[in-house]
């Protein structure tokens, strides 16, 4: 079920990794080395993915190489939202992929988040789905559209300054193909035409009430590949394992890329989900635990004897 494990989410973005705690990303790189080794030790068949970068930055990738982190991953991942947050046009996608391929010619590049919101107009999202499919299907091995559902307004988005970001913040709530009330947007029909080749990225919050409906929608759409997360911070909540088990059992029909991220506040150098930690081995142990539980290595088949 788990085909890949991503080590953190957008580690070069202030919303997800605190540069004041780790200004040169050396602490993050240490976590990647440890987690990558731990995942490989439990199940070498699981593809290890460097946390999807946002912004797309070849200089940051070179920094990861200098720290040795690329030795512990099999794939480099990028995130892009050119019609909502990025300062480049949507037709630049092939150039953005090529920038990263140039600095990691030995590893595939996956697009583990790409999306176009309906904040301004739902017709813009229709265009975005179709143009993204044209530009990326066949160009990279994996693509994950963000997202299936709009983010409910009362939940709040994981970002830096919330409402102070103006419309940039409110766009977070309009990235889904399905509205908060459960009704489909026009772009859903266009996505359905490519769902077997362009997967979905959908975060599920702790005890998310949308899980079963999401699975039903994804089966109906013909989705094969899903990216989601298992939160290290959530693992300390009461009933965490019951929720993780339910989530992963529900997602069994799909090839899942699971993202391990979010620092437990009591383990961070700063008390925040984006902080580096005092003991990076604790994160590696969490990753190993999750792989052992949800993607254990298969026992080797006996070799047939010949006469």
């Amino acid at each position: 079920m788990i085909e890949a494990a991503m080590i953190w989410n957008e580690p070069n973005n202030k919303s997800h990794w605190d540069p004041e705690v780790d200004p040169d990303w050396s602490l993050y790189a240490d976590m990647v080395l440890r987690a990558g080794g731990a995942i490989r030790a439990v199940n070498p068949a699981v593809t290890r993915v460097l946390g999807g970068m946002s912004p797309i930055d070849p200089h940051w990738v070179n920094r990861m190489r200098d720290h040795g982190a690329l030795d512990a991953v099999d794939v480099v991942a990028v995130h892009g939202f050119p019609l909502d947050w990025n300062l480049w046009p949507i037709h630049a996608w092939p150039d953005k992929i090529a920038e990263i391929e140039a600095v990691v010619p030995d590893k595939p590049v996956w697009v583990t988040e790409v999306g176009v919101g309906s904040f301004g107009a739902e017709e813009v999202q229709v265009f975005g789905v179709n143009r993204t499919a044209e530009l990326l299907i066949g160009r990279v091995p994996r693509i994950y559209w963000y997202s299936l559902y709009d983010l409910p307004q009362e939940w709040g988005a994981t970002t830096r300054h919330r409402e102070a970001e103006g419309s940039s913040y409110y766009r977070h709530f309009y990235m889904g193909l399905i509205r908060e009330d459960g009704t489909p947007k026009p772009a859903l029909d266009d996505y359905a035409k490519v769902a077997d080749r362009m997967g979905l990225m959908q975060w599920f919050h702790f005890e998310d009430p949308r899980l079963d409906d999401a699975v039903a929608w994804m089966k109906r759409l013909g989705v094969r590949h899903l990216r989601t997360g298992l939160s290290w911070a959530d693992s300390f909540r009461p009933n965490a394992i019951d929720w993780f088990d339910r989530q992963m059992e529900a997602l069994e029909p799909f090839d899942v890329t699971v993202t391990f991220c979010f620092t437990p506040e009591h383990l961070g150098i700063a008390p925040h989900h984006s902080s580096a930690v005092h003991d990076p081995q604790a994160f590696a142990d969490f990753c190993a635990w999750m792989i052992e539980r949800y993607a254990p290595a298969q026992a080797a088949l006996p070799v047939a004897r010949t006469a």
Side-chain angles (χ1 to χ4, degrees):
M1 175 179 63
I2 293 180
E3 67 167 352
M6 177 177 283
I7 304 171
W8 219 259
N9 179 66
E10 299 186 1
N12 65 331
N13 187 309
K14 289 181 181 179
S15 292
H16 297 280
W17 191 257
D18 189 341
E20 294 185 6
V21 175
D22 185 24
D24 66 350
W25 285 277
S26 59
L27 299 179
Y28 170 70
D30 185 30
M31 287 177 64
V32 172
L33 284 162
R34 293 170 184 262
I39 293 165
R40 174 56 55 90
V42 174
N43 188 349
V46 172
T47 299
R48 301 163 302 169
V49 185
L50 186 68
M53 73 189 84
S54 180
I56 297 172
D57 183 359
H59 301 292
W60 182 79
V61 177
N62 281 328
R63 187 185 291 267
M64 290 298 100
R65 185 185 298 281
D66 292 342
H67 286 316
L70 296 188
D71 296 334
V73 297
D74 308 297
V75 168
V76 172
V78 300
H79 295 177
F81 301 90
L83 296 185
D84 289 279
W85 294 300
N86 296 142
L87 301 179
W88 43 272
I90 193 170
H91 64 254
W93 259 119
D95 295 334
K96 290 296 178 180
I97 300 298
E99 286 180 10
I100 303 305
E101 290 174 333
V103 295
V104 283
D106 55 330
K107 298 183 189 297
V109 177
W110 291 6
V111 178
T112 48
E113 276 189 42
V114 55
V116 173
S118 61
F119 178 78
E122 291 185 343
E123 293 80 3
V124 173
Q125 190 179 53
V126 172
F127 164 79
V129 167
N130 288 304
R131 187 67 176 130
T132 298
E134 291 170 4
L135 292 166
L136 292 180
I137 291 176
R139 180 64 182 81
V140 292
R142 289 283 184 277
I143 314 158
Y144 299 86
W145 181 267
Y146 177 80
S147 60
L148 180 62
Y149 288 115
D150 277 349
L151 179 66
Q153 293 277 345
E154 66 270 18
W155 287 9
T158 303
T159 184
R160 282 167 287 176
H161 308 300
R162 293 184 176 269
E163 289 84 351
E165 296 180 359
S167 69
S168 291
Y169 176 71
Y170 289 101
R171 289 174 182 271
H172 285 280
F173 300 94
Y174 294 90
M175 303 304 294
L177 298 167
I178 298 172
R179 303 180 189 93
E180 183 179 351
D181 65 5
T183 58
K185 299 179 187 177
L188 186 70
D189 286 340
D190 295 84
Y191 172 77
K193 299 172 185 175
V194 295
D196 60 331
R197 289 161 288 157
M198 187 160 71
L200 279 172
M201 195 285 146
Q202 179 65 54
W203 294 108
F204 292 105
H205 289 225
F206 187 73
E207 298 182 339
D208 197 319
R210 306 169 302 174
L211 176 62
D212 293 335
D213 283 343
V215 170
W217 270 112
M218 289 188 289
K219 288 180 177 179
R220 195 178 312 155
L221 291 165
V223 172
R224 295 172 53 210
H225 299 283
L226 172 71
R227 177 177 163 240
T228 191
L230 288 173
S231 166
W232 186 24
D234 282 350
S235 71
F236 289 90
R237 291 176 181 256
N239 304 316
I241 294 305
D242 289 344
W243 164 244
F244 286 175
D245 286 351
R246 189 168 101 72
Q247 176 182 340
M248 299 311 292
E249 182 180 0
L251 300 180
E252 191 276 334
F254 311 101
D255 292 328
V256 176
T257 292
V258 63
T259 306
F260 299 130
C261 59
F262 301 134
T263 300
E265 290 188 2
H266 68 285
L267 298 181
I269 295 172
H272 195 265
H273 73 268
S274 64
S275 177
V277 296
H278 292 288
D279 179 12
Q281 187 58 41
F283 175 68
D285 292 344
F286 169 73
C287 296
W289 175 31
M290 293 293 98
I291 295 297
E292 181 64 48
R293 190 171 187 89
Y294 302 117
Q298 299 297 311
L301 295 174
V303 178
R305 298 176 63 181
T306 57

